[in-house]
Amino acid sequence: MKVALIGLGTVGRGAYDILKARNDVLKETVGAIDIAYIVVTERSKERLSRELEETVVTSSDYDRVLDEVDLVVEATGAIDIAYDYMKRALEKGIGVVTANKAAVSAYYKELTELAEKHRVPFLFEAAVGGGIPVLTPLRALCLQNDIGSIRGILNGTCNYLINAMFKDGADYDETLALCQELGYAEQDPTDDVEGYDTRRKLHILIEMAYGHIDGEAIPTKGIAQLTGPVVSYLKEHRKKVKLVASAKPVEGGIEAVVEPVVLDESDELALLPDAINEVDIEGSWVGDVAFRGPGAGKEPTGNAVVSDIVSVLSNGALPLLSRGDVALKPVFGRYLVAEALEGDFVETVDGDFTLTREMERDELLKHVDAETFFARIDA
């Protein structure tokens, strides 16, 4: 099978290294995988042409590349450009493997419909959970189960940052700087700490499990307002907070949200260490299943990409159920707010902290500003 690898950043390089290192094993078991072309930017072409033995080309050669390969592996991290690469491949009847959560979330419906129309694989295991194999099992679960709920921690940067603050009592900004130094966070960490990265991943899970929604409409709050006093208050009460993504069916649609959640310190998600991710799924027949592992990184994410390539080569891809639109319903819950509030929605005020009654999330937003930390209290 001839493969075109688009992009040779962290994920692309991880997949490349694994394919090279495991070449003989893969050839003997599922068949030869030939990296026929590597598609990169004009700026990188000259350097990589000297470094690699494969043929290195740019986007201007892409039509010729599509005439000669059996599979496109997209690993750019872009959105619209990546969509164009994948769309053109699928329209030509060429399968696509990608790790690009942003592009998959933005164009899920279009890309899956194209793959179905042209009867070619479209696989994106690495787009959610990095090295955790969750999407492939979810495909199978959806065939046999109604999905009762999805819940998890989907961003390693936030998990590492929160764990460091609770363990060492470190300041948010100092801890975020450490995350950047260690490579857990980008120099612009907005997508991570504001919850947008988590939202994209939850959107993909929802599309597979429940149906089509506008991913950007999922209510989202990150952890940028998490402060030392909030951490101290929670530790005094033997609690911890985590950035949790969740979705479940409710009457008339689904309830989905990404936001900080207050958990008992002994809760499984509260104990999740370092930059590890976890996705918990409830199936009507299988019950509760959990998927845990490294949520990012060159090798884990590259491994998920190669897993999809092997699945294509071995004809092991499960069908992706076509689902219609589904309504996104309001979120309800009890909340801990790092501010003394007044109103009939207030259950108790404890110093500078308010515990609310069960209420609609959108109603709470009318009483707090964007800089106020709040977290849903786990039921």
Side-chain angles (χ1 to χ4, degrees), residues 62-76:
Y62 191 53
D63 286 332
R64 173 169 62 87
V65 169
L66 290 179
D67 286 335
E68 299 182 28
V69 300
D70 307 299
L71 181 70
V72 165
V73 178
E74 190 283 318
T76 66

Side-chain angles (χ1 to χ4, degrees), residues 174-186:
E174 293 174 357
T175 311
L176 180 57
L178 175 61
C179 287
Q180 291 170 318
E181 182 181 332
L182 294 172
Y184 289 126
E186 301 290 341

